Amino acid sequence: MTVSFAAKAGVLLVFFGSVLFVHLRGKARLPVLRQFVNHSALFAPYNSLMYLFSGVPSKPYLDRQRFPELDVLKDNWQEIREEAMRLFDEGYIRAAEKDNDAGFGSFFKKGWKRFYLKWYDKPLPSAETLCPRTVELVSSIPNVKGAMFALLPGGSHLNPHRDPFAGSLRYHLGLSTPNSDACRIYVDGEEYAWRDGEDVMFDETYVHWVKNETDVTRVILFCDIERPLSSPLMTRINRKVSAFLGRATAPQNTDDERVGGINQAYAWSKRFSNRISGQVKQFKRANPKAYRVLRPVLAVLVAYLLYRWLF
Protein backbone atom coordinates (compact mmCIF):
# COMPACT_ATOMS: atom_id res chain seq x y z
CA MET A 1 0.00 0.00 0.00
CA THR A 2 1.37 3.39 -1.00
CA VAL A 3 1.86 5.82 1.84
CA SER A 4 0.09 9.08 1.05
CA PHE A 5 1.85 12.40 0.83
CA ALA A 6 -0.25 13.69 3.74
CA ALA A 7 0.94 10.83 5.96
CA LYS A 8 4.58 11.44 5.04
CA ALA A 9 4.19 15.16 5.59
CA GLY A 10 2.54 14.48 8.95
CA VAL A 11 5.40 12.29 10.10
CA LEU A 12 7.95 14.88 9.04
CA LEU A 13 5.96 17.64 10.73
CA VAL A 14 5.90 15.73 14.02
CA PHE A 15 9.59 14.94 13.73
CA PHE A 16 10.76 18.46 12.90
CA GLY A 17 8.38 19.98 15.45
CA SER A 18 9.80 17.70 18.14
CA VAL A 19 13.39 18.53 17.20
CA LEU A 20 12.58 22.23 17.29
CA PHE A 21 10.91 21.83 20.71
CA VAL A 22 14.01 20.07 22.07
CA HIS A 23 16.24 22.69 20.49
CA LEU A 24 14.36 25.59 22.08
CA ARG A 25 14.12 23.92 25.49
CA GLY A 26 16.45 25.73 27.85
CA LYS A 27 18.78 28.69 27.35
CA ALA A 28 21.90 26.95 25.97
CA ARG A 29 21.50 25.55 22.47
CA LEU A 30 23.48 23.76 19.84
CA PRO A 31 23.70 25.40 16.40
CA VAL A 32 20.40 24.78 14.57
CA LEU A 33 21.88 22.71 11.75
CA ARG A 34 23.90 20.62 14.18
CA GLN A 35 20.79 19.97 16.28
CA PHE A 36 18.85 18.66 13.29
CA VAL A 37 21.60 16.23 12.27
CA ASN A 38 22.67 15.37 15.83
CA HIS A 39 21.94 11.86 17.09
CA SER A 40 19.72 13.38 19.80
CA ALA A 41 17.31 14.48 17.04
CA LEU A 42 16.36 10.84 16.39
CA PHE A 43 14.84 10.59 19.87
CA ALA A 44 13.13 13.99 19.81
CA PRO A 45 9.53 12.67 19.40
CA TYR A 46 10.03 10.13 22.19
CA ASN A 47 11.80 12.65 24.41
CA SER A 48 8.93 15.10 23.98
CA LEU A 49 6.63 12.46 25.50
CA MET A 50 9.06 11.98 28.37
CA TYR A 51 9.00 15.70 29.10
CA LEU A 52 5.20 15.81 28.83
CA PHE A 53 4.73 13.01 31.39
CA SER A 54 7.77 13.75 33.55
CA GLY A 55 7.23 13.41 37.27
CA VAL A 56 10.05 15.88 38.02
CA PRO A 57 10.28 19.57 37.03
CA SER A 58 11.66 20.54 33.63
CA LYS A 59 14.85 22.26 34.73
CA PRO A 60 18.61 21.63 34.40
CA TYR A 61 19.36 20.60 38.00
CA LEU A 62 16.97 18.54 40.10
CA ASP A 63 16.54 18.27 43.85
CA ARG A 64 18.54 15.19 44.80
CA GLN A 65 16.40 14.81 47.91
CA ARG A 66 13.57 13.63 45.66
CA PHE A 67 15.62 10.45 45.20
CA PRO A 68 16.26 9.25 48.79
CA GLU A 69 17.19 5.76 47.55
CA LEU A 70 20.48 7.28 46.34
CA ASP A 71 21.49 8.16 49.90
CA VAL A 72 23.13 4.74 50.17
CA LEU A 73 25.66 5.75 47.50
CA LYS A 74 26.52 9.07 49.12
CA ASP A 75 26.69 7.48 52.58
CA ASN A 76 29.23 4.93 51.32
CA TRP A 77 31.20 7.20 49.00
CA GLN A 78 34.53 6.47 50.66
CA GLU A 79 34.18 2.71 50.09
CA ILE A 80 33.22 3.41 46.48
CA ARG A 81 36.20 5.74 46.09
CA GLU A 82 38.57 3.09 47.45
CA GLU A 83 37.51 0.62 44.76
CA ALA A 84 37.54 3.30 42.05
CA MET A 85 41.06 4.45 42.87
CA ARG A 86 42.36 0.89 42.92
CA LEU A 87 40.96 0.43 39.40
CA PHE A 88 42.49 3.76 38.39
CA ASP A 89 45.90 2.76 39.72
CA GLU A 90 45.72 -0.57 37.89
CA GLY A 91 44.68 1.02 34.58
CA TYR A 92 41.17 -0.41 34.33
CA ILE A 93 39.49 2.99 33.90
CA ARG A 94 40.27 3.54 30.24
CA ALA A 95 38.95 4.40 26.78
CA ALA A 96 37.24 1.85 24.55
CA GLU A 97 40.17 0.03 22.96
CA LYS A 98 38.15 -1.23 19.97
CA ASP A 99 36.13 1.92 19.18
CA ASN A 100 32.99 0.08 20.26
CA ASP A 101 31.40 2.59 22.62
CA ALA A 102 28.94 4.64 20.57
CA GLY A 103 27.59 6.67 23.46
CA PHE A 104 30.91 8.21 24.45
CA GLY A 105 33.09 7.85 21.37
CA SER A 106 33.79 11.56 21.00
CA PHE A 107 34.76 11.92 24.68
CA PHE A 108 37.78 9.65 24.41
CA LYS A 109 39.53 12.21 22.20
CA LYS A 110 39.55 14.55 25.21
CA GLY A 111 41.14 11.99 27.54
CA TRP A 112 37.84 10.98 29.17
CA LYS A 113 37.86 7.36 30.39
CA ARG A 114 35.40 4.99 32.02
CA PHE A 115 34.88 1.63 33.72
CA TYR A 116 31.36 0.22 33.52
CA LEU A 117 29.72 -1.20 36.64
CA LYS A 118 26.20 -1.93 35.42
CA TRP A 119 24.41 -1.44 32.14
CA TYR A 120 20.63 -1.65 32.36
CA ASP A 121 19.96 -5.39 32.73
CA LYS A 122 22.81 -6.51 35.00
CA PRO A 123 26.33 -5.74 36.29
CA LEU A 124 29.31 -6.46 34.08
CA PRO A 125 31.24 -9.59 35.12
CA SER A 126 34.52 -7.67 35.31
CA ALA A 127 32.94 -5.16 37.70
CA GLU A 128 31.56 -7.91 39.93
CA THR A 129 35.10 -9.27 40.20
CA LEU A 130 37.06 -6.03 40.53
CA CYS A 131 34.75 -3.78 42.56
CA PRO A 132 32.17 -6.01 44.27
CA ARG A 133 31.18 -3.52 46.97
CA THR A 134 30.29 -0.77 44.51
CA VAL A 135 28.38 -3.25 42.35
CA GLU A 136 26.49 -4.41 45.42
CA LEU A 137 25.52 -0.86 46.33
CA VAL A 138 24.51 0.13 42.80
CA SER A 139 22.54 -3.09 42.26
CA SER A 140 20.56 -2.51 45.46
CA ILE A 141 18.84 0.50 43.82
CA PRO A 142 16.35 -0.63 41.12
CA ASN A 143 16.09 2.74 39.36
CA VAL A 144 19.86 2.90 38.72
CA LYS A 145 19.91 1.67 35.14
CA GLY A 146 23.54 2.32 34.25
CA ALA A 147 26.62 3.08 36.31
CA MET A 148 30.31 3.62 35.72
CA PHE A 149 33.42 5.26 37.08
CA ALA A 150 34.24 8.25 34.86
CA LEU A 151 37.61 10.02 34.70
CA LEU A 152 38.55 13.38 33.20
CA PRO A 153 42.22 14.42 33.31
CA GLY A 154 43.40 17.84 34.35
CA GLY A 155 43.54 20.44 31.60
CA SER A 156 40.80 18.74 29.58
CA HIS A 157 37.23 19.56 28.65
CA LEU A 158 34.10 18.15 26.99
CA ASN A 159 32.41 20.26 24.32
CA PRO A 160 28.73 21.30 24.50
CA HIS A 161 26.41 18.37 23.78
CA ARG A 162 23.07 16.95 24.79
CA ASP A 163 22.48 13.29 25.55
CA PRO A 164 19.93 11.67 23.23
CA PHE A 165 17.62 9.80 25.61
CA ALA A 166 15.23 11.54 28.03
CA GLY A 167 14.04 8.31 29.65
CA SER A 168 16.72 8.76 32.31
CA LEU A 169 18.38 11.43 34.43
CA ARG A 170 22.04 11.78 35.34
CA TYR A 171 23.59 11.38 38.79
CA HIS A 172 27.18 12.27 39.70
CA LEU A 173 28.93 11.48 42.98
CA GLY A 174 32.35 13.06 43.52
CA LEU A 175 35.00 10.48 44.48
CA SER A 176 38.42 11.98 43.81
CA THR A 177 38.12 15.51 42.49
CA PRO A 178 40.20 18.69 42.44
CA ASN A 179 37.70 20.12 44.96
CA SER A 180 37.95 23.34 43.01
CA ASP A 181 35.55 25.65 41.20
CA ALA A 182 37.90 25.31 38.23
CA CYS A 183 36.66 21.73 37.68
CA ARG A 184 33.00 22.08 36.81
CA ILE A 185 30.06 21.14 34.62
CA TYR A 186 27.67 23.59 33.00
CA VAL A 187 24.10 22.36 32.46
CA ASP A 188 22.08 24.81 30.37
CA GLY A 189 24.70 27.37 31.35
CA GLU A 190 24.33 26.78 35.11
CA GLU A 191 27.56 25.83 36.86
CA TYR A 192 28.27 23.01 39.31
CA ALA A 193 31.74 22.16 40.69
CA TRP A 194 32.39 18.62 41.91
CA ARG A 195 33.52 17.97 45.47
CA ASP A 196 34.59 14.72 47.12
CA GLY A 197 31.60 13.00 48.71
CA GLU A 198 29.04 15.41 47.24
CA ASP A 199 26.45 14.50 44.64
CA VAL A 200 24.25 16.16 42.06
CA MET A 201 21.30 15.22 39.84
CA PHE A 202 20.66 16.86 36.47
CA ASP A 203 18.80 16.42 33.20
CA GLU A 204 21.43 15.42 30.66
CA THR A 205 19.17 16.25 27.69
CA TYR A 206 19.85 19.92 28.32
CA VAL A 207 22.99 21.15 26.55
CA HIS A 208 25.92 20.68 28.92
CA TRP A 209 29.70 20.87 28.85
CA VAL A 210 32.64 20.27 31.18
CA LYS A 211 35.89 22.06 32.00
CA ASN A 212 38.69 20.78 34.20
CA GLU A 213 41.05 23.74 34.35
CA THR A 214 43.16 22.21 37.11
CA ASP A 215 46.09 19.81 36.89
CA VAL A 216 44.22 17.18 38.95
CA THR A 217 42.32 14.21 37.50
CA ARG A 218 38.62 14.08 38.35
CA VAL A 219 37.04 10.69 39.14
CA ILE A 220 33.31 10.36 39.79
CA LEU A 221 30.57 7.76 40.05
CA PHE A 222 28.33 8.37 37.02
CA CYS A 223 24.81 6.86 36.95
CA ASP A 224 21.74 6.85 34.72
CA ILE A 225 18.61 7.04 36.88
CA GLU A 226 15.18 6.12 35.55
CA ARG A 227 13.11 9.28 34.99
CA PRO A 228 10.01 9.31 37.22
CA LEU A 229 6.86 9.62 35.08
CA SER A 230 3.32 10.62 36.02
CA SER A 231 1.70 7.93 33.87
CA PRO A 232 1.97 4.21 34.77
CA LEU A 233 1.54 3.35 31.09
CA MET A 234 4.38 5.65 30.03
CA THR A 235 6.51 4.20 32.83
CA ARG A 236 6.00 0.69 31.43
CA ILE A 237 6.74 1.89 27.91
CA ASN A 238 9.88 3.69 29.05
CA ARG A 239 11.14 0.60 30.85
CA LYS A 240 10.62 -1.50 27.71
CA VAL A 241 12.39 1.06 25.53
CA SER A 242 15.20 1.45 28.06
CA ALA A 243 15.71 -2.31 28.29
CA PHE A 244 15.89 -2.60 24.50
CA LEU A 245 18.37 0.26 24.18
CA GLY A 246 20.39 -1.13 27.08
CA ARG A 247 20.81 -4.48 25.32
CA ALA A 248 21.59 -2.77 22.01
CA THR A 249 24.28 -0.55 23.57
CA ALA A 250 25.79 -3.15 25.94
CA PRO A 251 29.42 -2.10 26.58
CA GLN A 252 32.50 -4.00 27.70
CA ASN A 253 35.40 -3.47 30.05
CA THR A 254 37.25 -6.62 28.92
CA ASP A 255 37.34 -8.49 25.62
CA ASP A 256 35.31 -11.44 26.87
CA GLU A 257 32.21 -9.32 27.67
CA ARG A 258 29.24 -9.02 25.32
CA VAL A 259 28.94 -5.95 23.10
CA GLY A 260 25.51 -4.73 21.94
CA GLY A 261 24.51 -4.44 18.29
CA ILE A 262 24.63 -0.64 18.18
CA ASN A 263 28.16 -0.63 19.58
CA GLN A 264 29.21 -3.34 17.12
CA ALA A 265 27.77 -1.30 14.24
CA TYR A 266 29.54 1.80 15.56
CA ALA A 267 32.87 -0.03 15.63
CA TRP A 268 32.33 -1.22 12.05
CA SER A 269 31.36 2.30 10.91
CA LYS A 270 34.50 3.73 12.50
CA ARG A 271 36.70 1.25 10.65
CA PHE A 272 34.82 1.89 7.41
CA SER A 273 34.90 5.69 7.76
CA ASN A 274 38.62 5.62 8.55
CA ARG A 275 39.26 3.73 5.30
CA ILE A 276 36.93 5.95 3.27
CA SER A 277 38.26 9.20 4.76
CA GLY A 278 41.78 8.13 3.86
CA GLN A 279 40.72 7.48 0.27
CA VAL A 280 38.79 10.77 0.09
CA LYS A 281 41.84 12.68 1.34
CA GLN A 282 44.00 10.99 -1.29
CA PHE A 283 41.45 11.84 -4.02
CA LYS A 284 41.25 15.45 -2.80
CA ARG A 285 45.03 15.86 -2.91
CA ALA A 286 45.30 14.25 -6.33
CA ASN A 287 42.20 15.87 -7.87
CA PRO A 288 41.37 19.12 -6.03
CA LYS A 289 39.23 20.54 -8.85
CA ALA A 290 37.18 17.34 -9.26
CA TYR A 291 36.70 17.20 -5.48
CA ARG A 292 35.27 20.74 -5.43
CA VAL A 293 32.82 19.81 -8.21
CA LEU A 294 31.72 16.48 -6.75
CA ARG A 295 30.84 17.80 -3.28
CA PRO A 296 27.88 19.95 -4.44
CA VAL A 297 26.86 17.25 -6.94
CA LEU A 298 26.53 14.72 -4.11
CA ALA A 299 24.54 17.23 -2.04
CA VAL A 300 22.11 17.76 -4.94
CA LEU A 301 21.78 13.99 -5.37
CA VAL A 302 20.84 13.52 -1.72
CA ALA A 303 18.30 16.37 -1.93
CA TYR A 304 16.80 14.80 -5.08
CA LEU A 305 16.42 11.40 -3.43
CA LEU A 306 14.68 13.02 -0.45
CA TYR A 307 12.36 14.91 -2.84
CA ARG A 308 11.45 11.69 -4.66
CA TRP A 309 10.66 9.99 -1.34
CA LEU A 310 8.33 12.83 -0.37
CA PHE A 311 6.58 13.37 -3.70
Side-chain angles (χ1 to χ4, degrees):
M1 182 176 67
T2 303
V3 180
S4 68
F5 170 76
K8 293 177 181 179
V11 170
L12 281 178
L13 184 62
V14 169
F15 173 74
F16 284 111
S18 299
V19 176
L20 189 61
F21 169 68
V22 170
H23 175 66
L24 295 175
R25 182 173 177 260
K27 297 174 291 186
R29 296 176 187 136
L30 301 175
V32 176
L33 289 179
R34 179 184 167 192
Q35 179 60 68
F36 274 88
V37 299
N38 187 263
H39 60 296
S40 66
L42 296 175
F43 287 91
Y46 182 84
N47 288 351
S48 297
L49 285 175
M50 294 294 100
Y51 303 140
L52 178 64
F53 290 98
S54 181
V56 294
S58 181
K59 59 182 185 178
Y61 291 98
L62 300 164
D63 182 4
R64 221 285 283 150
Q65 301 308 312
R66 295 178 67 116
F67 302 83
E69 64 276 17
L70 300 176
D71 288 349
V72 68
L73 298 178
K74 185 174 182 179
D75 291 345
N76 292 279
W77 75 273
Q78 290 173 310
E79 287 185 81
I80 296 172
R81 179 175 67 175
E82 183 178 338
E83 289 192 330
M85 298 315 292
R86 184 168 65 249
L87 291 181
F88 172 63
D89 291 340
E90 295 174 0
Y92 283 103
I93 305 178
R94 58 197 178 202
E97 296 178 341
K98 296 184 177 180
D99 280 329
N100 58 2
D101 195 335
F104 303 100
S106 62
F107 289 6
F108 299 131
K109 299 174 184 177
K110 306 295 184 181
W112 186 89
K113 298 178 175 64
R114 82 291 181 267
F115 181 88
Y116 286 98
L117 303 164
K118 176 186 178 183
W119 197 248
Y120 285 78
D121 55 348
K122 58 185 178 182
L124 277 71
S126 57
E128 291 179 304
T129 299
L130 295 168
C131 44
R133 178 56 175 159
T134 302
V135 168
E136 177 188 3
L137 292 168
V138 166
S139 298
S140 71
I141 310 171
N143 63 341
V144 174
K145 300 303 180 182
M148 68 180 77
F149 295 132
L151 176 158
L152 185 70
S156 188
H157 70 280
L158 300 178
N159 291 327
H161 62 283
R162 67 168 85 245
D163 286 26
F165 183 60
S168 62
L169 302 167
R170 185 62 44 77
Y171 172 77
H172 284 181
L173 172 62
L175 299 177
S176 178
T177 75
N179 291 302
S180 166
D181 290 343
C183 181
R184 60 208 182 276
I185 184 170
Y186 295 86
V187 184
D188 200 34
E190 299 180 23
E191 182 178 342
Y192 173 84
W194 293 279
R195 295 290 192 277
D196 292 0
E198 296 185 7
D199 56 6
V200 65
M201 179 80 74
F202 62 94
D203 185 337
E204 73 272 32
T205 59
Y206 283 98
V207 173
H208 55 286
W209 60 98
V210 174
K211 293 182 179 180
N212 184 358
E213 296 176 319
T214 75
D215 57 1
V216 178
T217 296
R218 181 223 66 181
V219 180
I220 61 171
L221 176 66
F222 172 121
C223 298
D224 281 349
I225 310 298
E226 180 181 304
R227 178 186 288 270
L229 300 172
S230 60
S231 163
L233 174 61
M234 290 306 300
T235 297
R236 290 196 294 272
I237 291 173
N238 188 45
R239 287 175 180 171
K240 292 287 187 182
V241 173
S242 296
F244 170 77
L245 291 174
R247 290 191 297 271
T249 58
Q252 64 176 190
N253 295 319
T254 57
D255 290 343
D256 57 335
E257 292 172 329
R258 173 185 170 271
V259 178
I262 289 178
N263 283 339
Q264 292 182 39
Y266 177 78
W268 178 87
S269 70
K270 290 285 287 185
R271 292 192 296 269
F272 179 76
S273 64
N274 288 338
R275 288 198 295 267
I276 292 298
S277 64
Q279 295 172 359
V280 168
K281 288 177 181 177
Q282 290 179 3
F283 179 81
K284 181 180 178 180
R285 286 194 296 267
N287 307 277
K289 292 183 179 179
Y291 176 80
R292 286 196 294 271
V293 171
L294 284 175
R295 284 189 66 185
V297 169
L298 288 174
V300 170
L301 177 61
V302 171
Y304 172 74
L305 292 174
L306 179 61
Y307 173 85
R308 289 299 302 269
W309 180 79
L310 285 173
F311 298 99

Coordinates of all heavy atoms in Angstrom, one line a residue, residues 239-286:
R239 N 10.3 1.7 30.4 CA 11.1 0.6 30.8 C 11.4 -0.4 29.7 O 12.5 -0.9 29.6 CB 10.5 -0.1 32.0 CG 10.6 0.7 33.3 CD 9.8 0.2 34.5 NE 9.9 1.0 35.6 CZ 9.2 0.8 36.8 NH1 8.4 -0.2 36.9 NH2 9.4 1.7 37.8
K240 N 10.4 -0.6 28.9 CA 10.6 -1.5 27.7 C 11.6 -0.9 26.7 O 12.5 -1.6 26.3 CB 9.3 -1.7 27.0 CG 8.3 -2.5 27.8 CD 8.6 -4.0 27.8 CE 7.5 -4.8 28.5 NZ 7.9 -6.3 28.6
V241 N 11.5 0.4 26.4 CA 12.4 1.1 25.5 C 13.8 1.1 26.1 O 14.8 0.8 25.4 CB 11.9 2.5 25.2 CG1 12.9 3.2 24.4 CG2 10.6 2.4 24.4
S242 N 13.9 1.4 27.4 CA 15.2 1.5 28.1 C 15.9 0.1 28.0 O 17.1 0.0 27.8 CB 15.0 1.9 29.5 OG 14.6 3.2 29.6
A243 N 15.1 -1.0 28.3 CA 15.7 -2.3 28.3 C 16.2 -2.7 26.9 O 17.3 -3.2 26.8 CB 14.7 -3.3 28.8
F244 N 15.5 -2.3 25.9 CA 15.9 -2.6 24.5 C 17.2 -1.8 24.2 O 18.1 -2.4 23.6 CB 14.8 -2.2 23.5 CG 15.2 -2.3 22.1 CD1 15.4 -3.5 21.4 CD2 15.5 -1.1 21.4 CE1 15.8 -3.5 20.1 CE2 15.9 -1.1 20.1 CZ 16.1 -2.3 19.4
L245 N 17.2 -0.5 24.5 CA 18.4 0.3 24.2 C 19.6 -0.2 25.0 O 20.7 -0.2 24.5 CB 18.1 1.7 24.5 CG 17.1 2.4 23.5 CD1 16.8 3.8 24.0 CD2 17.6 2.4 22.1
G246 N 19.3 -0.6 26.2 CA 20.4 -1.1 27.1 C 21.1 -2.3 26.5 O 22.3 -2.4 26.4
R247 N 20.2 -3.3 26.0 CA 20.8 -4.5 25.3 C 21.5 -4.1 24.0 O 22.6 -4.6 23.8 CB 19.7 -5.5 25.0 CG 19.1 -6.1 26.2 CD 18.2 -7.3 25.8 NE 17.0 -6.8 25.1 CZ 15.9 -6.5 25.6 NH1 15.7 -6.4 26.9 NH2 14.9 -6.1 24.8
A248 N 21.0 -3.1 23.3 CA 21.6 -2.8 22.0 C 22.9 -2.0 22.2 O 23.8 -2.0 21.3 CB 20.6 -1.9 21.2
T249 N 23.1 -1.3 23.3 CA 24.3 -0.6 23.6 C 25.2 -1.2 24.6 O 26.0 -0.5 25.2 CB 23.9 0.9 24.0 OG1 23.1 0.8 25.2 CG2 23.2 1.6 22.9
A250 N 25.0 -2.5 24.9 CA 25.8 -3.1 25.9 C 27.3 -2.9 25.7 O 27.8 -3.1 24.6 CB 25.5 -4.6 25.9
P251 N 28.0 -2.4 26.7 CA 29.4 -2.1 26.6 C 30.3 -3.2 27.2 O 29.8 -4.2 27.7 CB 29.6 -0.8 27.4 CG 28.6 -1.0 28.5 CD 27.5 -1.9 28.0
Q252 N 31.6 -3.0 27.1 CA 32.5 -4.0 27.7 C 33.7 -3.3 28.4 O 34.1 -2.2 27.9 CB 33.0 -5.0 26.6 CG 33.9 -4.4 25.6 CD 34.5 -5.4 24.6 OE1 35.3 -5.0 23.8 NE2 34.0 -6.6 24.6
N253 N 34.1 -3.9 29.4 CA 35.4 -3.5 30.1 C 36.6 -4.4 29.6 O 37.7 -3.9 29.5 CB 35.3 -3.6 31.6 CG 34.3 -2.6 32.2 OD1 34.2 -1.4 31.7 ND2 33.5 -3.1 33.2
T254 N 36.2 -5.6 29.3 CA 37.2 -6.6 28.9 C 36.8 -7.3 27.7 O 35.5 -7.4 27.4 CB 37.5 -7.6 30.0 OG1 36.3 -8.3 30.4 CG2 38.1 -7.0 31.3
D255 N 37.7 -7.9 26.9 CA 37.3 -8.5 25.6 C 36.3 -9.6 25.7 O 35.7 -9.9 24.7 CB 38.6 -9.0 24.9 CG 39.5 -7.9 24.5 OD1 39.0 -6.7 24.4 OD2 40.7 -8.1 24.2
D256 N 36.2 -10.3 26.8 CA 35.3 -11.4 26.9 C 33.9 -11.0 27.2 O 33.0 -11.9 27.3 CB 35.8 -12.4 27.9 CG 36.0 -11.8 29.3 OD1 36.1 -10.6 29.4 OD2 35.9 -12.6 30.3
E257 N 33.6 -9.8 27.3 CA 32.2 -9.3 27.7 C 31.4 -9.0 26.4 O 32.0 -8.5 25.4 CB 32.3 -8.1 28.6 CG 32.8 -8.6 30.0 CD 33.0 -7.4 31.0 OE1 33.4 -6.3 30.5 OE2 32.9 -7.6 32.2
R258 N 30.1 -9.2 26.5 CA 29.2 -9.0 25.3 C 29.1 -7.5 24.9 O 29.1 -6.7 25.8 CB 27.9 -9.6 25.7 CG 26.8 -9.3 24.6 CD 25.4 -9.7 25.0 NE 24.4 -9.2 24.1 CZ 23.8 -8.0 24.2 NH1 24.1 -7.2 25.2 NH2 22.9 -7.7 23.3
V259 N 29.1 -7.3 23.6 CA 28.9 -6.0 23.1 C 27.6 -5.9 22.3 O 27.3 -6.8 21.5 CB 30.1 -5.6 22.2 CG1 29.9 -4.2 21.6 CG2 31.4 -5.6 22.9
G260 N 26.8 -4.9 22.6 CA 25.5 -4.7 21.9 C 25.6 -4.4 20.5 O 26.7 -3.9 20.0
G261 N 24.5 -4.6 19.7 CA 24.5 -4.4 18.3 C 24.8 -3.0 17.8 O 25.5 -2.8 16.8
I262 N 24.3 -2.0 18.6 CA 24.6 -0.6 18.2 C 26.1 -0.4 18.3 O 26.7 0.3 17.4 CB 23.8 0.3 19.0 CG1 22.3 0.3 18.6 CG2 24.3 1.8 18.9 CD1 21.4 1.2 19.4
N263 N 26.7 -0.8 19.4 CA 28.2 -0.6 19.6 C 29.0 -1.4 18.6 O 30.0 -0.9 18.1 CB 28.6 -1.0 21.0 CG 28.2 0.0 22.0 OD1 28.0 1.2 21.7 ND2 28.1 -0.3 23.3
Q264 N 28.5 -2.6 18.2 CA 29.2 -3.3 17.1 C 29.1 -2.6 15.8 O 30.1 -2.5 15.1 CB 28.6 -4.7 17.0 CG 28.8 -5.6 18.2 CD 28.2 -7.0 17.9 OE1 28.2 -7.6 16.8 NE2 27.6 -7.6 19.0
A265 N 27.9 -2.1 15.5 CA 27.8 -1.3 14.2 C 28.6 0.0 14.3 O 29.2 0.3 13.2 CB 26.3 -0.9 14.0
Y266 N 28.7 0.6 15.4 CA 29.5 1.8 15.6 C 31.0 1.5 15.3 O 31.7 2.2 14.6 CB 29.4 2.4 17.0 CG 30.2 3.6 17.2 CD1 29.9 4.8 16.7 CD2 31.4 3.5 18.0 CE1 30.7 6.0 17.0 CE2 32.2 4.6 18.3 CZ 31.8 5.8 17.8 OH 32.6 6.9 18.0
A267 N 31.5 0.4 15.8 CA 32.9 0.0 15.6 C 33.1 -0.3 14.2 O 34.2 0.1 13.6 CB 33.2 -1.3 16.5
W268 N 32.2 -1.0 13.5 CA 32.3 -1.2 12.0 C 32.3 0.1 11.3 O 33.2 0.3 10.4 CB 31.2 -2.1 11.6 CG 31.2 -2.4 10.1 CD1 31.9 -3.3 9.4 CD2 30.6 -1.6 9.0 NE1 31.8 -3.2 8.1 CE2 31.0 -2.1 7.8 CE3 29.8 -0.4 9.1 CZ2 30.5 -1.6 6.6 CZ3 29.3 0.1 7.8 CH2 29.7 -0.5 6.6
S269 N 31.4 1.0 11.6 CA 31.4 2.3 10.9 C 32.6 3.1 11.1 O 33.1 3.8 10.2 CB 30.1 3.1 11.4 OG 30.3 3.6 12.7
K270 N 33.2 3.0 12.3 CA 34.5 3.7 12.5 C 35.6 3.2 11.6 O 36.4 3.9 11.0 CB 34.9 3.6 14.0 CG 34.0 4.4 14.9 CD 34.3 5.9 14.9 CE 35.6 6.2 15.5 NZ 35.8 7.7 15.6
R271 N 35.7 1.9 11.5 CA 36.7 1.3 10.7 C 36.4 1.6 9.2 O 37.4 2.0 8.5 CB 36.7 -0.3 10.8 CG 37.2 -0.7 12.2 CD 37.4 -2.2 12.2 NE 36.2 -3.0 12.0 CZ 35.4 -3.4 12.9 NH1 35.7 -3.2 14.2 NH2 34.4 -4.2 12.7
F272 N 35.2 1.6 8.8 CA 34.8 1.9 7.4 C 35.1 3.4 7.1 O 35.7 3.7 6.1 CB 33.3 1.6 7.2 CG 32.9 1.9 5.8 CD1 33.2 1.1 4.7 CD2 32.1 3.0 5.5 CE1 32.7 1.4 3.4 CE2 31.7 3.4 4.3 CZ 32.0 2.5 3.2
S273 N 34.7 4.3 8.0 CA 34.9 5.7 7.8 C 36.4 6.0 7.7 O 36.8 6.9 7.0 CB 34.2 6.5 8.8 OG 34.7 6.3 10.1
N274 N 37.2 5.4 8.6 CA 38.6 5.6 8.6 C 39.2 5.3 7.2 O 40.1 6.0 6.7 CB 39.3 4.8 9.7 CG 39.0 5.4 11.0 OD1 38.6 6.6 11.2 ND2 39.2 4.6 12.1
R275 N 38.8 4.1 6.6 CA 39.3 3.7 5.3 C 38.8 4.7 4.2 O 39.6 5.2 3.4 CB 38.8 2.3 5.0 CG 39.5 1.2 5.8 CD 39.3 -0.1 5.1 NE 37.9 -0.5 5.1 CZ 37.3 -1.3 6.0 NH1 38.1 -1.7 7.1 NH2 36.1 -1.6 5.9
I276 N 37.5 5.1 4.3 CA 36.9 6.0 3.3 C 37.6 7.3 3.4 O 37.9 8.0 2.4 CB 35.4 6.0 3.4 CG1 34.7 4.7 3.0 CG2 34.8 7.1 2.5 CD1 35.0 4.3 1.6
S277 N 37.7 7.9 4.6 CA 38.3 9.2 4.8 C 39.7 9.3 4.2 O 40.1 10.3 3.6 CB 38.2 9.6 6.2 OG 39.0 8.8 7.0
G278 N 40.4 8.2 4.4 CA 41.8 8.1 3.9 C 41.8 8.2 2.3 O 42.6 8.9 1.7
Q279 N 40.8 7.5 1.7 CA 40.7 7.5 0.3 C 40.2 8.8 -0.2 O 40.7 9.3 -1.3 CB 39.8 6.4 -0.2 CG 40.3 5.0 0.1 CD 39.3 3.9 -0.2 OE1 38.1 4.2 -0.5 NE2 39.7 2.6 0.0
V280 N 39.3 9.4 0.5 CA 38.8 10.8 0.1 C 39.9 11.8 0.2 O 40.1 12.6 -0.7 CB 37.6 11.2 1.0 CG1 37.3 12.7 0.8 CG2 36.4 10.3 0.7
K281 N 40.7 11.7 1.2 CA 41.8 12.7 1.3 C 42.8 12.5 0.2 O 43.4 13.5 -0.4 CB 42.5 12.5 2.7 CG 41.7 13.0 3.9 CD 42.4 12.7 5.2 CE 41.6 13.2 6.4 NZ 42.2 12.9 7.7
Q282 N 43.1 11.2 -0.2 CA 44.0 11.0 -1.3 C 43.4 11.5 -2.6 O 44.1 12.2 -3.4 CB 44.2 9.5 -1.4 CG 45.1 8.9 -0.3 CD 45.3 7.4 -0.5 OE1 44.8 6.8 -1.5 NE2 46.0 6.8 0.5
F283 N 42.1 11.3 -2.8 CA 41.5 11.8 -4.0 C 41.5 13.4 -4.0 O 41.7 14.0 -5.1 CB 40.0 11.3 -4.1 CG 39.2 11.8 -5.3 CD1 39.4 11.2 -6.5 CD2 38.4 12.9 -5.2 CE1 38.7 11.7 -7.6 CE2 37.7 13.4 -6.2 CZ 37.8 12.8 -7.5
K284 N 41.2 14.0 -2.9 CA 41.2 15.4 -2.8 C 42.6 16.0 -3.1 O 42.7 17.0 -3.9 CB 40.8 15.9 -1.4 CG 40.8 17.4 -1.2 CD 40.3 17.7 0.2 CE 40.3 19.2 0.4 NZ 39.9 19.6 1.8
R285 N 43.7 15.4 -2.6 CA 45.0 15.9 -2.9 C 45.4 15.7 -4.4 O 46.0 16.5 -5.0 CB 46.0 15.1 -2.0 CG 46.0 15.6 -0.6 CD 47.3 15.1 0.2 NE 47.3 13.6 0.2 CZ 46.8 12.9 1.2 NH1 46.3 13.6 2.3 NH2 46.9 11.6 1.2
A286 N 44.9 14.5 -4.9 CA 45.3 14.2 -6.3 C 44.4 15.0 -7.3 O 44.9 15.3 -8.4 CB 45.2 12.7 -6.6

